[in-house]
Amino acid sequence: MKNLFLASILAGLAPIALAEVTINEPWARATVPGQPVGAAYMKISSTNAARLLSAETDAAKEVQVHTMHHHDGVMKMREHGQLEISAGQTVELAPGGLHLMLMGLKKPLAAGETLTVKLTFEDAKKVKSTSVVSVPVRPIGK
Amino acid sequence: MKLRYVAALLLAGTVLFGCDSGRAPEQKFVSADITGGDWGKDFQLTDHTGKARTLADFKGKAVVLFFGYTNCPDVCPTTMVKLAQAMEKLGKDSERVQVLMVTLDPKRDTQEVLSKYVPAFHPSFLGLTGNEQQVDAAAKEFKVIRVLQKPNENGFYTVDHSGQTYAFDTQGRLRLFFRDAQPVDDIVKDLQTLLKI
């Protein structure tokens, strides 16, 4: 898919050990009217250890990292808390597992539109960086 | 207990599926044939237009019954879309199929919420809700696992649930168990078979 984007806005002076976060293949699933929540997925990697502190978008009141487990036919969804990205590793947010849960959608997510999601990361030295990600909305089931 | 039951159902499905080599003429379905159980008989719920509903209301149609909730962003809408795709593929036969979604979260999924959500997938689909006791009774009757989780500080909660879908024949007898990952073409084929019974 499209390798969208990476804009790390550096906050503060941290010349060498600053984590460079890369987001690949972001997408969100379209929603229908009456559906209060949506899900966004992406691959997050970082040159140095980093932690996702928060995420926000104009499309929803709140964004949380949630995880899904599927055992013996039972789906369990839980809030994941802060997402840790190890140095050089890629964390994949994908259907059936980790996702950004878009809660309190202001309107349904329409296939073809693009959401802007702002992710705030922190590296081991507590230096924060922000990635602004363009997240295309795909039809449900695609 | 419940988990074991679902596991047994899934196993039964696998075994039946595994035997479907064409040599067993009594095996007509791609998905798990659960005909003849002494459960999954009926429900007393209210549809998204406010009408009281039981299974008997849909006699003459094959009924597809799915349990989910609208605060589920992944499996529930994906299954609903799959059922809508099945309706499209069924063409004229879809007029003899009724898809029902029972919410497992009646507190948030009111009649009003369901009236927006469910028909958005397909205009013929009906959402069903009820009071806590009615929904709980329906889940138990259909061996659906449903565990409401504790709300977070904002009052948001999730519902652990099993994702099976059932199909009934036109006489209202429970016949088939679709896994949540059952391909749409399996569902279409089995519904076509059910409509011929």
Side-chain angles (χ1 to χ4, degrees):
Chain A
M1 294 305 294
K2 276 178 278 181
N3 270 6
L4 280 175
F5 178 40
L6 128 89
S8 286
I9 299 160
L10 313 182
L13 307 163
I16 297 162
L18 193 70
E20 192 170 300
V21 175
T22 309
I23 313 288
N24 281 310
E25 299 172 41
W27 65 282
R29 185 182 291 106
T31 65
V32 298
Q35 186 180 334
V37 295
Y41 307 99
M42 59 192 65
K43 292 174 181 171
I44 305 175
S45 53
S46 178
T47 52
N48 297 75
R51 171 184 297 160
L52 176 62
L53 289 181
S54 64
E56 55 188 287
T57 174
D58 287 343
K61 276 189 207 146
E62 193 184 355
V63 182
Q64 291 181 349
V65 180
H66 277 218
T67 184
M68 263 257 306
H69 292 289
H70 201 161
H71 287 302
D72 293 328
V74 180
M75 271 88 62
K76 300 182 178 194
M77 184 165 65
R78 297 287 182 274
E79 194 178 334
H80 184 275
Q82 290 179 348
L83 192 67
E84 304 280 348
I85 300 113
S86 310
Q89 297 292 307
T90 299
V91 173
E92 189 167 356
L93 280 62
L98 286 167
H99 54 276
L100 292 182
M101 181 86 162
L102 312 177
M103 302 166 76
L105 290 177
K106 293 172 186 166
K107 61 183 180 61
L109 304 181
E113 70 178 2
T114 302
L115 309 177
T116 301
V117 178
K118 194 169 106 182
L119 303 173
T120 302
F121 295 92
E122 182 183 77
D123 69 10
K125 294 187 171 163
K126 306 269 183 204
V127 178
K128 288 181 187 172
S129 65
T130 301
S131 296
V132 179
V133 188
S134 294
V135 181
V137 179
R138 291 189 200 162
I140 307 170
K142 297 271 162 68
Chain B
M1 281 297 279
K2 284 177 176 173
L3 277 177
R4 216 176 302 149
Y5 203 101
V6 169
L9 274 177
L10 292 174
L11 185 66
T14 311
V15 170
L16 286 168
F17 185 78
C19 292
D20 187 17
S21 60
R23 266 170 272 159
E26 69 279 11
Q27 174 54 44
K28 304 187 202 83
F29 300 105
V30 184
S31 63
D33 185 341
I34 53 169
T35 303
D38 63 348
W39 54 281
K41 299 287 187 200
D42 206 357
F43 51 77
Q44 280 84 40
L45 296 164
T46 304
D47 75 21
H48 70 245
T49 71
K51 198 169 170 188
R53 293 292 196 175
T54 66
L55 201 51
D57 293 341
F58 306 103
K59 208 159 188 180
K61 289 186 173 187
V63 170
V64 176
L65 188 67
F66 170 66
F67 293 80
Y69 70 116
T70 67
N71 273 274
C72 158
D74 189 343
V75 176
C76 302
T78 305
T79 300
M80 292 293 279
V81 161
K82 193 163 67 178
L83 296 174
Q85 288 165 348
M87 294 296 274
E88 297 303 324
K89 289 189 175 204
L90 281 165
K92 189 124 181 84
D93 279 346
S94 69
E95 291 167 16
R96 295 176 60 216
V97 173
Q98 179 64 55
V99 172
L100 304 173
M101 174 187 153
V102 179
T103 180
L104 294 169
D105 183 15
K107 198 172 150 197
R108 288 181 297 194
D109 292 346
T110 58
Q111 190 185 313
E112 194 198 340
V113 169
L114 291 179
S115 72
K116 290 182 197 157
Y117 180 86
V118 178
F121 294 96
H122 192 277
S124 74
F125 289 5
L126 278 175
L128 297 175
T129 186
N131 60 33
E132 172 61 29
Q133 289 72 24
Q134 289 171 317
V135 168
D136 193 56
K140 286 199 169 86
E141 176 67 14
F142 288 93
K143 315 281 186 202
V144 172
I145 292 168
R146 167 181 185 256
V147 185
L148 302 174
Q149 298 303 303
K150 279 200 186 119
N152 70 7
E153 61 278 10
N154 299 324
F156 180 82
Y157 58 92
T158 61
V159 184
D160 292 359
H161 69 102
S162 48
Q164 70 266 45
T165 302
Y166 295 109
F168 299 77
D169 64 23
T170 57
Q171 300 304 304
R173 290 172 298 203
L174 181 58
R175 303 298 294 257
L176 300 173
F177 174 103
F178 300 137
R179 294 171 286 120
D180 57 9
Q182 198 89 45
V184 63
D185 288 341
D186 290 5
I187 295 172
V188 171
K189 193 161 175 274
D190 280 353
L191 288 174
Q192 285 166 335
T193 307
L194 267 187
L195 287 173
K196 287 182 197 134
I197 290 173

